[in-house]
Amino acid sequence: MYLCTLKLNVNYKDNSIHISMKNIRNFCIIAHIDHGKSTLADRLLEYTKTVEGKDLQAQVLDSMDLERERGITIKSHAIQMEYMYNNEKYTLNLIDTPGHVDFSYEVSRSIAACEGALLIVDSTQGIQAQTISNLYMAIEHDLEIIPIVNKVDLPNAMPEEVEDQIIELLGCKREDIIRASGKTGIGVYDILEAIIKTVPAPKGDPEAPLQALIFDSVFNSFRGIIAYFKIVNGSIKKGDHVKFFNTGKEYDADEIGVLKLGMLPKNEVGCGDVGYIISGIKTSKEVKVGDTITHVARPCEKAIEGFEEVKPMVFAGVYPIETEDFEDLRSSLEKLQLNDASLTFQPESSVALGFGFRCGFLGLLHMEIIQERLDREFNMDVITTVPNVSYLVHDKKGNVTEVHNPAGLPDPTLIDYIEEPYIRASVITNTTYIGPIMTLCLGKRGVLLKQEYISGDRIEITYDMPLAEIVIDFYDKLKSISKGYASFDYHMHDFRESKLAKLDILLNGESVDALSTLTHVDNAVTFGRRMCEKLKELIPRQQFDIAIQAAIGAKIVARETIKAVRKDVTAKCYGGDISRKRKLLEKQKEGKKRMKQVGNVEVPQKAFLAVLKLD
């Protein structure tokens, strides 16, 4: 083992002499979910001999079990490859990105660290909404785009039609588009050649003061926090005294290196390269993604720009099942935040659930993934409340407050009006499904802005919709009515005044704040009725009757009753006078009444989750 590491280091020392900045290429992969991006990344790693033998497996870069199980990329991953072309050695830094709309923040971080992007489009599905959205992000950052039509080996592939869509979108020549297959390896060498010829070498001054952009970080329980960076100017050596520009904290670079399949230590990482730094940082607040690393002795003048702050779209309360686990939950969330900078959280308390955190997510899938990761990686059992969005509440004195939680609403008599967030949504679909999709969007209070044909029988429909309406089950319904063909992308547009009502759920007259929601007045009654029916199915029967009520203010709009589990006290009375039976039933009724005063109703976790799946 020792010899092996030594050999690697020696090789690397030799290599670092030959590879100059003009032979470095930094690129990322842009694709819609399930367009074969991880498989194509596997082939690139195989053909450049970065991963060989027993390490070669499907989805090499998807290191989480969750990613493998669901077949999606959740985290962006960086890996360095080496490739010989025309007798010159090139260093290729690939930063793999997720394709789902909920992880677009990961994509923005990867794009900030690259000079080029591979645009991968599935030859059986064509261009999807999320691809277009990520492509525009890449074009804004002046990335060089290499278009690739993937899965050309499939019998139902339509490479010509998909090439037409790409030409229309990018305005490139047909011969610039590479036909490839991640499964069989067609076109992989063409892609490697295109990366070397098309993607520009990183620009930067190796002699200038150090300026490195942190684009990701991970927590290691033995070594503290490991930050991944891309050097824009200057270079960094092992043992250098560095500081993080925005936090102002100073550290020693105990270990630096590059990212192969694992981490490979080096004595120096040069300008334009991508690497990692370990400096014994223990607290997660000290590392901010998007920060700049520079030398203490010779600092750069300003931080690197162009890195946007994340804006959560969906808010939900996350509470530990056992109250004493509150601090453990805090440290688990902090460690997750290192690895996923788009997660935001702040402490809050609830009457029903005790102390917990109000967390901000980018979408419902993001929320589900965070919940799964808390369970798997940190063994945390949590209860998640009904997700909601943030509203702007204008009171009669002219003040504006941002409210993330129905419990935080001021008294209704003080509210002048409430504004809710609207999104600009774009749905790309086959013309066959236009009718059902329009019905769905109009049912969610959407306003149709425009329809335009992209190519053949594919159409893009643009809507303005309230974010609260798409938070819960819009994406699932869209996929089912379009048989999985429609793709959906959105961005925040503005806030608009709406008639909203706070819907409370009462169990035996007591409000369960974790089930409260803010909903549009027109939907409130039907939503309340459906909530009561669903809770009646899910809450286990007790020794006494449980009244489930939905209320808007003091007005009850729906009610269901869970009947008590009762013992048959009249079983021993066979024959005889009816008054004997009545006496026993009255006695039982008294006992039930007393029990109702002292008994409390347990709401199971699946009842909170079922609210999300109301049809």
Side-chain angles (χ1 to χ4, degrees), residues 347-361:
E348 71 163 7
S349 62
S350 144
V351 181
L353 301 169
F355 290 103
F357 294 93
R358 167 107 331 219
C359 298
F361 308 97

Side-chain angles (χ1 to χ4, degrees), residues 252-419:
D252 287 322
D254 299 335
E255 181 181 310
I256 57 164
V258 293
L259 298 152
K260 290 284 198 174
L261 193 57
M263 294 185 295
L264 199 70
K266 288 182 79 171
N267 289 328
E268 183 176 3
V269 178
C271 187
D273 219 339
V274 171
Y276 70 90
I277 178 170
I278 300 174
S279 45
I281 306 169
K282 292 286 181 282
T283 43
S284 53
K285 289 189 180 68
E286 293 178 24
V287 179
K288 293 240 183 323
V289 168
D291 203 347
T292 304
I293 303 174
T294 187
H295 282 128
V296 174
R298 189 171 163 233
C300 57
E301 287 172 21
K302 60 180 197 305
I304 299 163
E305 290 171 4
F307 208 87
E308 55 195 57
E309 272 295 304
V310 60
K311 290 185 189 71
M313 298 278 191
V314 176
F315 296 87
V318 175
Y319 293 85
I321 286 177
E322 301 296 333
T323 324
E324 58 265 27
D325 292 341
F326 176 73
E327 281 307 322
D328 293 345
L329 179 60
R330 184 199 294 273
S331 70
S332 304
L333 284 169
E334 280 177 358
K335 286 170 188 169
L336 263 186
Q337 196 178 35
L338 268 179
N339 197 241
D340 180 355
S342 51
L343 169 70
T344 60
F345 63 92
Q346 62 196 59
E348 71 163 7
S349 62
S350 144
V351 181
L353 301 169
F355 290 103
F357 294 93
R358 167 107 331 219
C359 298
F361 308 97
L362 296 182
L364 267 194
L365 177 69
H366 187 212
M367 174 175 137
E368 209 178 304
I369 294 291
I370 292 290
Q371 215 176 323
E372 276 277 317
R373 288 183 69 185
L374 280 171
D375 181 25
R376 291 185 186 204
E377 294 171 31
F378 304 100
N379 245 346
M380 291 299 312
D381 273 343
V382 294
I383 286 178
T384 312
T385 65
V386 181
N388 50 40
V389 298
S390 53
Y391 296 91
L392 295 181
V393 179
H394 296 255
D395 64 17
K396 288 178 178 167
K397 292 178 184 169
N399 301 325
V400 184
T401 43
E402 192 173 318
V403 173
H404 301 310
N405 186 346
L409 270 185
D411 190 279
T413 53
L414 304 174
I415 298 172
D416 186 12
Y417 62 95
I418 303 176
E419 289 185 317

